[in-house]
Amino acid sequence: MEAKTTQPLPERVAKLLKGYSPPPGVADELLRRDGSLRPAWQPLIRHLAGQSAETRARAFARGDQYLDDTGVYFRQHIGEGSTERRWPLSHVPVVISSSEWEKLSEGIVQRAELLEKVMADLYGPGQLVQDGHLPADLVARNPEWLRPVVGIQPRSGHFLHFLAFEIGRSPDGSWLVLGDRTQAPSGAGFALENRMATGRVFHDLFPKANVERLAGFFRSFRDAMIDLRANEGGRVAILTPGQHTDTYYEHAYIARYLGFMLLECEDMAVKQGQLKVRTVAGDEPVSVLWRRLDARFADPLELDESSALGTPGMVSALRSGAITMVNCLGSGALESRALMAFLPRICEALTGEPLKLPNIATWWCGQSSERAYVRDNLHRMMIGPAQSTKLPFDMDAGTALGGQFRCGADGSVSEWLEREGEGLVGQEAVTLSTTPAMVEGHLVPRPMVVRVFAARTPEGWTVMPGGYARIGRSDDPTALAMQAGGSVADVWITADAPVTSETLAPRDKGPFLRRQPAQLPARAADNLYWLGRYVERAEIGVRQIRAYHLRLEDYGPDALPLVESLAKFLAGFGLDPSEEPVPPGLLQLFDVSRGCASKVRDRFSTDGWNALSDLAATAREVAEGCHPGDDAARAMSLLLRRIAGFSGLVHENMFRFLGWRFLTAGRALERTDQMAAFLATFTDAKAPQGGLDLTVEVGDSVMTHRRRYSVETSRETVIDLLALDAGNPRSMLFQMDVLLAEEERIRAASGHQMEEAGRRILMLRTALAVAEPAEITPARLRGFRSDLAAISHALTAQYLS
């Protein structure tokens, strides 16, 4: 119990808090009712008060820079489209004492156990309906209650393994549950990133602030997931809807953090009752699946036939006990707002005790007495759809507050209740508590709600010592959502004594074992392969466009036939510089490269991602207002330097796992193909004058040619240097050596024998190795391009499809 004695605030603290005034009748996280600081906040507030405005601004900028550098974002939906937005960090964390959190955790654990029992009954004996604790219609009309899942007993013995709860303070200071998140709870990864950013903001305070660490929670959950496998060979994976979902960044981040595969439904298939992931080595069993996809989309055979996201047969795999699902399909039924009206009574019926952490007062209007109560108390009610999973303050259209429809709808709320009562609930319009946020250099109170997480372990439920808070952008509690401009903050649970430093490392250390990288999903390999191809295609396009503009500027009328020929060649690849100095097709190459990388964020380095994003952004910047000639040539030189930076990061920093080998194979094949195409055109006897010098320039081999050959460029010297020289990284033979070596390593790592792809690569490499320059005619170069296309098709069939 917090002491109620009031002590005068230090002068600097009082200055910092000048003007900080929570609304009347609202609980505040920072101040107690008597206006004194809550003890848990005192170290943080003293720290902030001791900083100048400039020092605070620099500290906040460190946190923002971390989030920018790591590429943290959320996807904001605008109309029918969406865009990536910066992560909106509120730099001041929410601080809660460990003693208060311990009591909250007891209520969270009890609620988690209760929801498990309710889930088991809804998909099992149905005793709650039979005994009158739940109306049958309420269950049957719940769109997330999935009839095909009824009767399925989870292999693990439990339906629920990972939960989240939205909690907030009521005006009297007590905590309430505002919403249960049982479907596919998000935010745990974002809580980690908030902690990393806030740790940089308060780098000098955090180590001595006795803040409970988060790593132990994730270690316990990771170990529990691994223990759920049916056998040692089973994979643990995270199932994501894909890169266009709001929280895809978090899915990739948490997969990378925990070391699990990140899969989409298209990566998997159910074969002989087993769920298998398609890898470059063939099908591998998936034993545990952490589902971040809404259940109704998971299986188009038994759940939603219109779903393009699901894996046919997923329900049958669950039914046969082939997989453990986290959480089990159908768990979204527990998120219904109407269920909250019955949970207090259900808790007493199933556990013999009241809810330790009550939820917001809720009345289902399908019952006459409850409907009458809501009607008689409209002035303090929020009314909305019974089956909605939104929080009360997140609801807008189709809701009423204080007896009035929101969004200006006409009509009588009382008549609406009588007409559609079975589909409505009334909830007490609780005013949310406030927490400090720094706005324009001043602390101001803003409404907030905290999301907390609970995970099942062999020892029972464990609660994350923290979470993340959603902070309103104004006094309006309906503006908490990030889609509405809200922000997020870290949650510090502070102890009175130093806390134990936690890591993901296992507590019981055995002998050191070097773990082999997990097999690469075929979809990930395919995206890395095409990332390599698109980046190489863009680089060669940039070199060719630069050569075009240099000749346009410096070579005069004599170069016109060559300039026109080069423009025609580039137009064949969608890169015609005669129409736009920086062709739109070039910008599209950078965009599709970034798109491929975005689909493998869990396997792609942060530095590599940032370099690729900067490259795409730079390309768009230089395209604006760019003029033909020297201006465009300089822009292309800038892009070449950026591409070289990206390539260097990938080559020097990326671990040589299978993904790197597919990326490298893609670049090698594309460089070979592009060189063959250019040689076929500009070493032809019909090519305009200057074509040979152009080819050497585009092949970045001008200095080498001058040193090696004591004559002017000729067809033989150009072919020898750019097609047949095994020591020139720009030559076809050099890249075929790279492609051959990478395919051999891929084949060895994935357990394949030499098949069509390997044989075709070996034959083409041999043909180049034994050829003389005179034999490499334009026709033969075009034949090589056909051979390269066949190699690409064979690689796809063997490893990527």
Side-chain angles (χ1 to χ4, degrees), residues 119-125 144-146 149-152 159 329-331 333:
M119 178 79 176
D121 184 78
L122 289 179
Y123 291 96
E144 297 297 337
W145 183 72
L146 306 178
V149 183
V150 173
I152 294 179
F159 290 87
L329 296 176
S331 56

Side-chain angles (χ1 to χ4, degrees), residues 749-782:
S750 56
H752 284 267
Q753 299 295 319
M754 179 178 281
E755 297 183 20
E756 182 183 359
R759 288 192 292 270
R760 284 184 175 275
I761 293 170
L762 184 58
M763 287 189 292
L764 181 52
R765 188 266 172 199
T766 302
L768 285 167
V770 301
E772 294 291 335
E775 299 171 4
I776 307 300
T777 64
R780 193 168 184 191
L781 285 164
R782 288 189 286 272

Side-chain angles (χ1 to χ4, degrees), residues 111-119 160 165 180 182 334:
R111 194 173 186 90
E113 288 289 358
L114 175 62
L115 291 175
E116 170 71 30
K117 293 177 184 294
V118 173
M119 178 79 176
L160 305 176
F165 303 90
D180 302 301
T182 57
L334 302 176

Side-chain angles (χ1 to χ4, degrees), residues 9 36 54 58 105 111 200 209 242 323 340 351 358 412 433 462-463 509 556 583 630 638 698 731 754 763 767:
L9 297 174
S36 62
E54 293 77 13
R58 286 196 298 269
S105 296
R111 194 173 186 90
R200 281 160 172 75
I323 57 169
M340 285 188 167
T351 69
S412 165
S433 64
T462 182
V463 178
K509 293 185 177 180
D630 188 57
L638 173 61
V698 169
S731 81
M754 179 178 281
M763 287 189 292

